[in-house]
Amino acid sequence: RSICIVEAHFERTSAMSDDSTCEKRSSREVGNARFVQGDVHGAREAYLVALDAVDEDDVAQRKELLRLHLNLAACELRLGGFQDVLLHCEKALKLDERCAKAYFRRAKALLQLDDAPAALCNAQAAHQLSPKDPDVQELVEEAKKTCVEQGWDERMKEQAKVLEAKRVLAKLQNGEELEEKERETLHNFRCEEIDRLEEKKKTEGISGEEMELLRKLREAVERENKVRVEMEELDGRAAQYLAKVQSGRRVPIRDRMNVAKMMEEEEQRLLKLDDEVGLNSSQLKVLRDIQEFLRMRKATRRPNAPSLTSR
């Protein structure tokens, strides 16, 4: 008898589950039909009924949940509920982070909310996931055009410059080697900031904090210019010394000793500059060549021969 009771309970529970699934599907299908007929308000109500019947913790119902949030986002776009569009798209992307429709509908809502840069980012994300969709491509172009019209294009470029300068500066502060392009980027950014602050100082005045920033920027640029001149001189002298030694021609002993001594001095100066501001790839090559020359010279020198620095 107890088995019969359990079986009867299971049958009732299974029937209720099937009824719930049919209800969800039926409500969504009703919503789809209403949406096609132009009854967007009615479609939204049907989708909300279906959404209430979904168990959000049930993994098996994720696809149904995704469909409903995307459909509700489409309704809200038609009805002007753009903040609600963002909400439904966010929930859809949590269910499927590669959902092109969610990025597309969020981009359209962001354009209506006058956030053109964010709209462009979302439209481009949709385009990456659905590159052949003409509607997506059209939205990307619309977002780009809006960015330009609202002046966001230039602001985005300026923001990109600031972010790149911060990245390079962090790399320098961490003791990492900078490439020549990165060094130039940082130098140009500092010069542009000096010009901007100087202009602001003339027209509207600057705060004490900005004045201190201007002073530090000037010092940094002056230091960079000084180091750049020194590095160019070092590069020139070191190249001359190496060319003289590596030419294969006989060099008098006094000249050889003078060259070797100057090489040691150049090595120390390059090492010091490397510690202070870092060396670019060409300067590092010169330093390695000098060190290789000194290593070979040391290896071939007589064991009892005096060093260059001994007196």
Side-chain angles (χ1 to χ4, degrees):
R1 184 182 175 186
S2 61
I3 294 175
C4 292
I5 293 173
V6 171
E7 288 178 345
H9 175 72
F10 175 77
E11 288 174 359
R12 287 197 301 272
T13 305
S14 178
M16 289 172 61
S17 177
D18 291 341
D19 289 343
S20 177
T21 302
C22 290
E23 181 185 353
K24 285 179 291 186
R25 189 172 299 151
S26 175
S27 295
R28 178 163 57 81
E29 289 171 354
V30 169
N32 291 345
R34 290 176 179 174
F35 190 87
V36 171
Q37 294 167 3
D39 181 8
V40 183
H41 285 283
R44 180 177 62 178
E45 293 304 316
Y47 292 141
L48 288 173
V49 169
L51 187 63
D52 288 338
V54 175
D55 182 0
E56 295 187 5
D57 297 325
D58 187 351
V59 177
Q61 298 185 39
R62 287 174 67 91
K63 284 188 177 179
E64 181 68 17
L65 196 60
L66 177 61
R67 291 191 195 101
L68 289 169
H69 281 301
L70 288 173
N71 290 353
L72 282 164
C75 289
E76 296 296 351
L77 266 176
R78 293 281 189 91
L79 298 172
F82 303 120
Q83 291 294 345
D84 289 327
V85 175
L86 301 185
L87 179 64
H88 288 298
C89 288
E90 182 181 351
K91 290 183 177 180
L93 288 168
K94 285 181 179 179
L95 293 164
D96 180 6
E97 62 182 11
R98 294 181 57 79
C99 181
K101 286 184 180 179
Y103 285 114
F104 177 80
R105 288 169 188 171
R106 187 160 71 176
K108 291 183 77 70
L110 286 165
L111 272 179
Q112 296 299 320
L113 293 168
D114 289 329
D115 193 347
L120 178 58
C121 289
N122 279 269
Q124 289 172 333
H127 185 257
Q128 287 179 348
L129 295 167
S130 186
K132 295 182 179 181
D133 190 325
D135 290 335
V136 173
Q137 182 59 46
E138 184 180 345
L139 183 62
V140 170
E141 296 304 320
E142 183 184 354
K144 284 181 179 179
K145 182 181 177 182
T146 305
C147 282
V148 173
E149 289 173 351
Q150 295 181 354
W152 279 107
D153 190 47
E154 290 301 318
R155 278 179 274 184
M156 289 168 71
K157 288 179 182 178
E158 288 300 318
Q159 187 177 22
K161 281 185 184 179
V162 172
L163 292 174
E164 177 63 9
K166 286 183 177 179
R167 183 192 68 78
V168 174
L169 186 58
K171 188 175 178 181
L172 180 63
Q173 291 170 342
N174 289 334
E176 299 178 48
E177 178 188 346
L178 294 186
E179 298 177 5
E180 187 62 30
K181 185 178 179 181
E182 291 176 324
R183 197 182 299 279
E184 196 68 26
T185 294
L186 189 58
H187 179 77
N188 290 340
F189 176 76
R190 284 170 171 163
C191 290
E192 288 172 5
E193 278 297 287
I194 288 173
D195 291 341
R196 183 184 68 81
L197 289 170
E198 289 281 13
E199 182 64 25
K200 186 178 178 182
K201 182 180 176 182
K202 291 177 183 177
T203 56
E204 56 187 284
I206 57 177
S207 65
E209 184 177 350
E210 289 174 318
M211 183 68 77
E212 179 64 14
L213 175 61
L214 179 59
R215 182 186 67 79
K216 288 182 179 179
L217 287 169
R218 284 172 177 163
E219 289 179 354
V221 169
E222 288 174 5
R223 186 166 58 249
E224 286 172 356
N225 290 335
K226 182 179 178 182
V227 168
R228 186 171 299 187
V229 171
E230 288 180 357
M231 284 184 168
E232 288 174 357
E233 292 175 355
L234 285 173
D235 289 347
R237 285 202 299 270
Q240 289 175 3
Y241 302 155
L242 286 171
K244 195 171 186 179
V245 172
Q246 296 170 352
S247 64
R249 293 176 298 178
R250 184 179 178 279
V251 182
I253 183 67
R254 180 177 297 175
D255 288 349
R256 288 203 301 271
M257 291 187 68
N258 286 338
V259 168
K261 184 176 181 181
M262 285 186 286
M263 287 287 199
E264 289 180 350
E265 291 174 354
E266 294 301 322
E267 179 193 29
Q268 293 305 312
R269 292 185 69 179
L270 282 168
L271 288 172
K272 183 180 178 183
L273 284 170
D274 190 29
D275 289 337
E276 291 177 352
V277 296
L279 302 177
N280 61 32
S281 56
S282 62
Q283 291 152 351
L284 282 170
K285 183 180 182 304
V286 171
L287 176 59
R288 292 192 189 103
D289 288 344
I290 289 174
Q291 290 173 332
E292 177 63 15
F293 164 77
L294 293 174
R295 187 186 68 77
M296 293 294 294
R297 184 180 183 282
K298 184 177 181 181
T300 57
R301 198 170 57 191
R302 297 193 308 273
N304 296 325
S307 67
L308 293 172
T309 55
S310 61
R311 295 183 179 275

